[in-house]
DNA sequence: CTTGGGACCTGTGAGC
DNA sequence: TGCTCACAGGTCCCAA
């Protein structure tokens, strides 16, 4: 579910709620998500104060004043939801505090809670020393942030050069660039007019520049819209993101292409097991 | 080394 | 209504 824009939206929603506040209690309702939780996770969380909330790729990084960072990944269906103190009381009264798939509930010093809910349990949580968090095995091999300065045309040319895989698959490779997922790769390729089937190594230098700009613009627009709400994704405050209304190709098989001068029809194909949506007419 | 496919899970919607 | 099947925003792991 959540790609970079959704995780960034969650981070921004959580920031004012968590930063500076102490974690009073942590209820951990199962031993694992995708992997077992770290040893003594509850004890290592309770009593700490959040210093900073950062994001790396699709990982949320909660820096604690204990010197450790809580690493959170939302997988496909993970959500982090905030409930203010009065809502928590209401939930108590309705005896529905433990909603289905609420795996971890943090209670902050002001009574608000932050709940990790994840039906499919592809999400993950771990703790690592803040000073070395970039060396954590989940983060160590990630490529540059697509919105950062290290992701520039020369870099992209360099890593795509000679690649025999389709550009769609290349952009999903988190070692090449970190944070893109199925939706935003489809959208960025449509914006740049590049076919997802085209081999990565066979894109001209000028078009690589266009692709880079399309990736940035797509992500910027999606963050500005609060991400995309499909099925179950919500912002941390419970609001729905609305970028799904701006999809030009994703999940639009059979629809007419949105490009003004194009009369193509959006197609769906499967590439390395994932749906790809594109316009065969204007994406070359 | 690269690449593709299966695996991990639950939920939902379409079609019968 | 109820069953079955395909598919869903990710990514690790392994075989080729």
């Amino acid at each position: 579910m959540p790609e970079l824009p959704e995780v960034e939206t969650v981070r921004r929603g959580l920031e004012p709620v968590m930063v500076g506040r102490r974690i009073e209690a942590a209820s951990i309702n199962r031993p694992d998500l995708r992997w077992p939780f770290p040893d003594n996770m509850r004890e290592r969380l309770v009593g700490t104060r959040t210093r900073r909330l950062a994001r790396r790729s699709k990982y949320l990084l909660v820096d604690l004043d204990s010197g450790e960072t809580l690493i959170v990944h939302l997988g496909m269906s993970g959500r982090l939801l905030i409930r203010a103190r009065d809502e928590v009381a209401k939930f108590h009264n309705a005896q529905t505090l433990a909603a289905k798939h609420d795996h971890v509930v943090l209670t902050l010093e002001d009574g608000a809670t932050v709940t990790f809910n994840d039906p499919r349990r592809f999400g993950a949580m771990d703790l690592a020393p803040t000073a070395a968090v970039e060396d954590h095995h989940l983060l160590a091999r990630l490529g540059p942030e697509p919105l950062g300065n290290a992701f520039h045309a020369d870099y992209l040319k360099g890593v795509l050069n000679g690649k025999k895989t389709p550009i769609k698959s290349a952009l999903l490779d988190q070692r090449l660039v970190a944070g893109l997922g199925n939706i935003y790769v489809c959208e960025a390729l449509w914006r740049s007019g590049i076919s997802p089937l085209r081999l990565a190594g066979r894109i001209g230098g000028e078009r690589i520049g266009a692709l880079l700009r399309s990736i940035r613009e797509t992500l910027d627009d999606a963050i500005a819209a609060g991400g995309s709400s499909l099925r179950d994704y919500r912002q941390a405050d419970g609001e729905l993101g609305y970028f799904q209304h701006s999809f030009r190709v994703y999940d639009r098989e059979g629809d007419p292409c949105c490009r003004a001068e194009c009369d193509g029809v959006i197609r769906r194909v499967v590439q390395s097991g994932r749906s790809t949506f594109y316009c065969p007419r204007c994406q070359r």
Side-chain angles (χ1 to χ4, degrees):
Chain A
M1 144 346 232
E3 303 182 30
L4 187 154
E6 288 74 34
V7 178
E8 177 60 22
T9 300
V10 168
R11 189 195 70 75
R12 291 179 185 187
L14 242 32
E15 196 165 48
V17 175
M18 290 191 76
V19 171
R21 304 250 157 74
R22 241 169 57 94
I23 297 172
E24 286 291 336
S27 106
I28 296 165
N29 302 324
R30 53 174 302 119
D32 56 18
L33 287 167
R34 181 168 182 180
W35 298 288
F37 289 129
D39 292 342
N40 306 316
M41 180 162 83
R42 193 175 63 81
E43 291 77 6
R44 288 157 76 181
L45 291 176
V46 171
T48 65
R49 200 178 286 275
T50 299
R51 281 215 168 106
R52 189 175 82 113
L53 260 175
R55 179 190 57 73
R56 172 76 169 107
S57 184
K58 303 170 193 174
Y59 294 90
L60 204 58
L61 306 176
V62 186
D63 291 353
L64 308 168
D65 65 359
S66 60
E68 292 197 297
T69 293
L70 177 65
I71 302 171
V72 182
H73 195 287
L74 301 177
M76 287 280 258
S77 57
R79 293 197 243 170
L80 278 169
L81 283 169
I82 300 162
R83 290 188 195 111
R85 177 209 282 276
D86 53 338
E87 290 176 82
V88 174
K90 232 183 302 173
F91 268 72
H92 269 297
N93 295 336
Q95 294 196 327
T96 51
L97 184 64
K100 204 172 185 189
H101 307 304
D102 279 359
H103 306 310
V104 174
V105 182
L106 304 180
T107 303
L108 305 179
E109 61 186 317
D110 62 356
T113 60
V114 174
T115 298
F116 187 102
N117 180 289
D118 184 8
R120 293 179 73 180
R121 304 204 304 273
F122 290 167
M125 281 193 192
D126 202 1
L127 282 160
T130 301
V133 74
E134 291 279 333
D135 300 329
H136 189 277
H137 68 280
L138 292 172
L139 307 182
R141 292 194 313 250
L142 293 173
E145 287 289 317
L147 297 176
N149 294 332
F151 188 60
H152 49 68
D154 286 341
Y155 169 80
L156 193 53
K157 279 174 201 167
V159 291
L160 295 183
N161 185 34
K163 264 208 168 292
K164 299 249 170 62
T165 186
I167 185 65
K168 161 79 186 310
S169 312
L171 294 175
L172 285 176
D173 183 344
Q174 304 293 301
R175 293 168 305 181
L176 214 150
V177 55
L180 298 177
N182 207 34
I183 292 178
Y184 297 107
V185 166
C186 290
E187 294 298 315
L189 285 170
W190 179 84
R191 289 193 189 205
S192 61
I194 296 170
S195 167
L197 308 174
R198 175 173 286 277
L199 298 189
R202 300 202 44 199
I203 301 174
E206 210 159 295
R207 304 186 76 205
I208 289 181
L211 173 58
L212 189 122
R213 285 191 294 280
S214 295
I215 290 170
R216 289 227 175 96
E217 287 170 13
T218 304
L219 296 176
D220 282 339
D221 291 352
I223 291 170
S228 305
S229 298
L230 305 187
R231 299 169 192 85
D232 52 10
Y233 165 76
R234 279 164 184 264
Q235 303 182 32
D237 59 7
E239 289 298 302
L240 295 170
Y242 54 88
F243 190 74
Q244 67 277 11
H245 302 303
S246 300
F247 290 169
R248 295 294 180 249
V249 288
Y250 185 82
D251 204 20
R252 298 193 57 166
E253 182 181 20
D255 286 0
C257 179
C258 294
R259 209 179 304 277
E261 62 283 9
C262 180
D263 59 358
V265 174
I266 304 309
R267 275 190 61 186
R268 171 183 176 270
V269 295
V270 175
Q271 291 181 284
S272 50
R274 317 289 307 275
S275 287
T276 297
F277 299 89
Y278 74 111
C279 174
R281 175 111 201 188
C282 65
Q283 289 181 253
R284 291 297 171 172

